[in-house]
Amino acid sequence: MRIMKFVLQKEFRQIFRDKTLLKMIFIMPIVQLLVLPMAANFTVKNINLSIVDHDHSSYSQKFISKIFSSGYFKLAGDNPSFLESYVLIENDKADIILEIPEGFERNLTRENGQKLFIAVNAINGVKALVGSGYLNSIIMDYNNDIRSQLLQPTTFNLMPTIEVVSSNWFNPNLTYYIFMVPGILVMLITLVGGNMTALNIVKEKEIGTIEQINVTPLKKYQFLLGKLIPFWIIGMIIFSIGLMIARFAYGIIPIGNIGLMYAFLAVYLFTILGFGLLISTYAETQQQAQSLAFFFLMIFNLMGGLFTPIDSMPEWAQWITRLIPISYFINVMRMVVLKGSAFSDIQYHLLIVFVMGIILNGWAVINYKKTS
Amino acid sequence: MKETVIKTENLTKRFGDFVAVDAISFEVYKGEIFGFLGANGAGKTTAMRMLSGLSKPTSGKAIVAGLDVFTQPEEIKKNIGYMSQRFSLYEDLTVIENIKFFGGIYGLSDKQIKQKSEELIEQLQFQNEIKKLVHDIPLGWKQKLALSVAILHEPKVVFLDEPTGGVDPATRKQFWEMIYQTADKGITVFVTTHYLDEAEYCNRISIMVDGRIDALGTPRELKEKFSATSMDEVFYKLARGAKRSDN
């Protein structure tokens, strides 16, 4: 116990003396948490729409103003011909072309029907899909408006329709950052926890001070605990700062128990620090450690369900996500923050992450040999 | 009767087919300055790593401070000090923080640490440097500090692995004065060097060639045996037969 006091004192001194590292640890997560959720927004807006109106009637004018009043579209050009609009698509200035044929109004009122032409630039698949979806629903809506106008005399609706009214649970306004902030916080904890521990231990290897430690009576576990405990505490602090940012910058108040989140965090940090420790046993230089950590953290972040839903990944990819600790924590954070899930809902997540922690740390300790 | 502090019998270390240390046998006595010489790659560092419990020998026997390197490496670590050519204090800690940290992990009490660090600072004339980062003090001073820290816990043996590498002659002389003071306290000094003039300062020296000890004795004995006028000559006569080289 007394020896641990000296070891921890040394580690904290070194961490707090390294001003660059300190900024990395504390400022970077704060900045990222303030910037990323605002920027990483999947709500598709500002779809550039080019309109080719051959009709110039009051109906087509009404139709066009209805489209733009939705707020999703931006006029990219009002061109007399399709070809001119197509140039806009080629130059990436327009995403969708809507062509209103001549006789739009006449055909609608007299022939009881009219076809419209939509051309979508599908290079950005998400934008194309969502954009044409919006447009379709606006057209449907417009269609209904006209129908009710034209069929005014009748007192009942001749056409039976099914209207779907959806209500969003847990995030009623579909606010994007309520969903993203808890996930990004987990990502930051993972980056700091995994990376910093690995670098810190490898630094001692690189400078050679680990040789000096190895000839002292300091035990292997004491040395490693000295490395892990400070980052465990730092992880807790970053998480707390993150919750405050979520509260005061985004107004996110977790519905579930905060204590439960901290309990999960405690176990998660144990696991992710074990990951960093394992990396450090395989790397001889800080550069190697950084590259190795980067490789895994990249996969963690892209496959952990932060940006893309795991449910829509292919089967084999879903299996990989089950091996990624971050995917469990992101899931748990969203469950607890948005749904108010209780211990019974997350106990399996907790167990799995804990078992992963045992495996990673055990593996690392076996690998970290004091005597060769 | 001289008290034996280090004793090896046919101590061997193999890495695959390569025999780094080939059945070396020697004894080192209490309070002695024992020089361990050899060209680069002769096996000095490997031998030293085995004696300090860092590396497990392949075969043979070795006792350090009355403890067996095979079965009690952790016990040995409490009884030895070690200073390597790769500078071994923490550069991002201050002088006093390094002293406290190493004192602490060797299990010294707060009172002992306080007393020892005062003595040490007095002896090294470090009064103005104690709050400086080790990074910011000159190399020669760092090495003197490293030696002082290595013997802070009063070990039975201190291993010095090329301690004077890259240091100017004046500082080297001061460093050897410190080595003598250390030996006077009864601490055995086991030192590797490739400065052959330094070999003359040792009580006894051994010269390793290709993993074996080819010569062992006082500097005077060796010079007589090889009918040489200096240690330089002794060394070249022996090294000429070496098969291993740096490349």
Side-chain angles (χ1 to χ4, degrees), chain A residues 2 17 204 206 211-212, chain B residues 49 82 86 90 97 108:
Chain A
R2 203 178 118 76
R17 199 155 281 162
E204 296 230 10
E206 208 174 61
E211 278 280 274
Q212 191 66 36
Chain B
R49 285 173 61 89
Y82 181 91
R86 279 177 89 182
Y90 286 98
E97 284 166 356
L108 301 189

Side-chain angles (χ1 to χ4, degrees), chain A residues 219-231:
Chain A
K219 299 275 187 305
K220 191 191 294 189
Y221 77 89
Q222 291 170 326
F223 176 74
L224 292 180
L225 274 181
K227 291 292 176 195
L228 296 185
I229 291 173
F231 286 105

Side-chain angles (χ1 to χ4, degrees), chain B residues 140-202:
Chain B
W141 294 37
K142 286 181 193 173
Q143 265 151 327
K144 284 193 261 179
L145 179 65
L147 175 59
S148 307
V149 170
I151 57 170
L152 200 66
H153 58 294
E154 297 175 357
K156 296 206 170 75
V157 192
V158 62
F159 291 95
L160 309 175
D161 191 3
E162 293 180 10
T164 53
V167 173
D168 64 84
T171 315
R172 264 172 64 196
K173 193 161 171 291
Q174 290 172 12
F175 194 86
W176 272 92
E177 277 163 17
M178 281 185 68
I179 291 181
Y180 276 107
Q181 286 164 12
T182 307
D184 286 343
K185 286 183 201 159
I187 299 174
T188 306
V189 179
F190 188 100
V191 55
T192 72
T193 178
H194 50 230
Y195 292 109
L196 292 161
D197 57 323
E198 287 187 352
E200 308 262 8
Y201 304 149
C202 299

Side-chain angles (χ1 to χ4, degrees), chain A residues 2-15 17-18 203-220 222-223 227 369-372, chain B residues 13 15 49 52-56 73-74 77-78 80-84 86-94 97 100-110 113 133 150:
Chain A
R2 203 178 118 76
I3 286 184
M4 281 318 293
K5 186 190 93 183
F6 287 99
V7 175
L8 288 174
Q9 204 172 35
K10 160 195 168 271
E11 295 297 339
F12 274 113
R13 273 188 179 133
Q14 288 181 305
I15 292 169
R17 199 155 281 162
D18 189 338
K203 187 178 167 196
E204 296 230 10
K205 275 196 196 178
E206 208 174 61
I207 301 176
T209 41
I210 204 164
E211 278 280 274
Q212 191 66 36
I213 293 296
N214 282 345
V215 291
T216 68
L218 191 68
K219 299 275 187 305
K220 191 191 294 189
Q222 291 170 326
F223 176 74
K227 291 292 176 195
K369 289 197 187 97
K370 199 169 169 182
T371 34
S372 55
Chain B
K13 177 80 185 184
F15 297 105
R49 285 173 61 89
S52 52
L54 280 176
S55 170
K56 228 183 174 68
E74 294 301 318
K77 287 173 186 171
K78 289 181 192 156
I80 60 165
Y82 181 91
M83 178 196 161
S84 78
R86 279 177 89 182
F87 183 66
S88 48
L89 297 179
Y90 286 98
E91 302 240 337
D92 50 356
L93 294 181
T94 64
E97 284 166 356
K100 281 184 178 164
F101 170 66
F102 283 103
I105 62 174
Y106 275 106
L108 301 189
S109 69
D110 289 337
I113 292 174
L133 293 184

